[in-house]
Amino acid sequence: MRLTARLQSTSRIPLLQAVKTSVAVALGWLLSQFLLQTDLPIFAAIAALLVVQPNINQTLGRAVERSLGVIGGVLIAYAVGIAFGQSSWIVLLAIVFCIMLAWALRLAPSSASQIPISAMLVLSIGATTPEYARDRILETIIGAAVALVVNALIVPPVLLAPAHDAVVRLALEVADTLDRIVDALRFPQQAGQIEEMMIKARLLRPMLSKAEKAIKQAEESLTLNPRHGMHRRLLDIDEEFYNRLISLVTRTIGMTRSLRDHYDHSLHLEPTVLAITVELSRAAHDLRLLTSEVDHPDREKVSLPVEPPTLTAPLIIATPHPQHWILIGSLMEDLRRVREEIKGD
């Protein structure tokens, strides 16, 4: 069972990518046979197999890495062969040299492995087949080029939906966290409830990281993608909203931590605390409205409710109990910044 678990993945690659890889391998094979008059163009097939990636940007990068790796390995092999011959120990030294050279140049893993492999094959097989080195380079370039063209033409995937869903989920969870703070301020809480609220607030950080990763993947999927223009605007909306959520996550976690550190059962008796809960409820409500607007960017813009700004005359701050003034001051400042982010000030 353990061996099977190591061999199998929890998820499989998309069927579309498997189809694109198959098409690229077949076309690379046939094109190499036609252009180079080669019976078994295995290096074109290998290049196509390795170069096809989930998006065009990654495919281009892998094509360049593999092509340069092959060319570099062939050139090193020729130089070593001319200078020292092609004995077995020379082949071994050439492989070690290529490995250390790739390390010194900080090459990508695909290039770092391709250089010594190409050098080894050219020194060992190329000695008896003069055209081997030339064909290896040409077949690799053909296979990589075919893979790039196929990946560009067969419905390149656009990963906008995962990014959008991650941003929306994060925004709604921030709003829920604000509501939990409101409940904790309005009604007496047990120690376990306060600690649970803190744990849930800390989960905003991994959600923020997940949204950031999803946005980066979406941006990468649009790079060099023929459908870039029609989708870029939607990604820009999600990215702008995400940037606003970064500050909101920090403030919301800070408010929860302050409440956890300075909580006592008489907080709900403070008049100012009651006023703060009203403003927090409005902030959570407005954030959900803003999320709804981002979720439907093509419809008419949603206007936030007309409300007086936080920390102005409508919010009268009575002198708090000495035990509460630090918490109230902290909540007021965080509330002010939360409102600024939601309103876009």
Side-chain angles (χ1 to χ4, degrees), residues 106-118:
R106 297 182 179 180
L107 298 181
S110 57
S111 296
S113 60
Q114 191 57 58
I115 291 177
I117 291 174
S118 296

Side-chain angles (χ1 to χ4, degrees), residues 266-318:
S266 61
L267 269 174
H268 66 284
L269 301 177
E270 289 278 1
T272 303
V273 168
L274 180 60
I276 290 175
T277 61
V278 172
E279 293 298 322
L280 282 175
S281 294
R282 291 176 176 178
H285 177 260
D286 290 357
L287 181 56
R288 291 190 178 94
L289 282 181
L290 190 59
T291 304
S292 177
E293 178 184 331
V294 171
D295 205 25
H296 304 279
D298 293 327
R299 75 182 186 185
E300 186 177 352
K301 185 177 179 65
V302 177
S303 298
L304 297 179
V306 179
E307 301 170 357
T310 307
L311 305 183
T312 56
L315 189 57
I316 300 174
I317 304 176

Side-chain angles (χ1 to χ4, degrees), residues 244 248 335-345:
R244 294 167 72 175
L248 287 174
L335 174 59
R336 179 183 68 82
R337 301 199 177 193
V338 165
R339 291 295 298 171
E340 285 179 352
E341 288 295 336
I342 293 177
K343 297 174 69 175
D345 295 339

Side-chain angles (χ1 to χ4, degrees), residues 90-284:
I90 291 297
V91 176
L92 176 60
L93 290 178
I95 295 171
V96 174
F97 173 78
C98 290
I99 293 173
M100 299 310 297
L101 178 64
W103 174 83
L105 296 177
R106 297 182 179 180
L107 298 181
S110 57
S111 296
S113 60
Q114 191 57 58
I115 291 177
I117 291 174
S118 296
M120 175 185 64
L121 293 175
V122 169
L123 286 173
S124 58
I125 301 177
T128 58
T129 309
E131 298 83 10
Y132 176 82
R134 181 203 64 189
D135 290 346
R136 180 168 175 79
I137 292 177
L138 293 178
E139 286 181 20
T140 299
I141 293 175
I142 291 173
V146 168
L148 183 61
V149 172
V150 168
N151 209 28
L153 294 179
I154 302 181
V155 196
V158 177
L159 304 178
L160 293 187
H164 179 72
D165 292 344
V167 171
V168 168
R169 283 196 297 268
L170 176 62
L172 295 178
E173 185 59 28
V174 171
D176 290 343
T177 304
L178 292 175
D179 282 338
R180 285 193 286 268
I181 295 174
V182 170
D183 291 339
L185 290 172
R186 285 180 177 174
F187 310 103
Q189 302 288 306
Q190 300 297 323
Q193 293 175 297
I194 294 295
E195 197 59 38
E196 180 183 359
M197 181 178 65
M198 187 70 243
I199 292 173
K200 289 181 178 179
R202 286 180 178 141
L203 293 178
L204 290 173
R205 289 292 184 192
M207 293 184 68
L208 185 67
S209 299
K210 183 177 180 180
E212 179 186 16
K213 182 180 179 180
I215 287 176
K216 288 182 179 179
Q217 290 176 339
E219 288 179 340
E220 194 170 53
S221 72
L222 286 179
T223 304
L224 303 178
N225 195 307
R227 297 186 294 170
H228 174 277
M230 61 175 21
H231 294 292
R232 183 69 231 189
R233 184 180 67 88
L234 298 176
L235 181 58
D236 287 341
I237 293 173
D238 286 334
E239 190 169 5
E240 189 275 335
F241 190 34
Y242 165 80
N243 290 331
R244 294 167 72 175
L245 289 174
I246 295 175
S247 178
L248 287 174
V249 167
T250 300
R251 294 298 163 189
T252 304
I253 295 176
M255 295 172 77
T256 307
R257 183 179 296 110
S258 296
L259 181 56
R260 192 271 309 271
D261 293 344
H262 301 282
Y263 183 80
D264 72 62
H265 294 287
S266 61
L267 269 174
H268 66 284
L269 301 177
E270 289 278 1
T272 303
V273 168
L274 180 60
I276 290 175
T277 61
V278 172
E279 293 298 322
L280 282 175
S281 294
R282 291 176 176 178

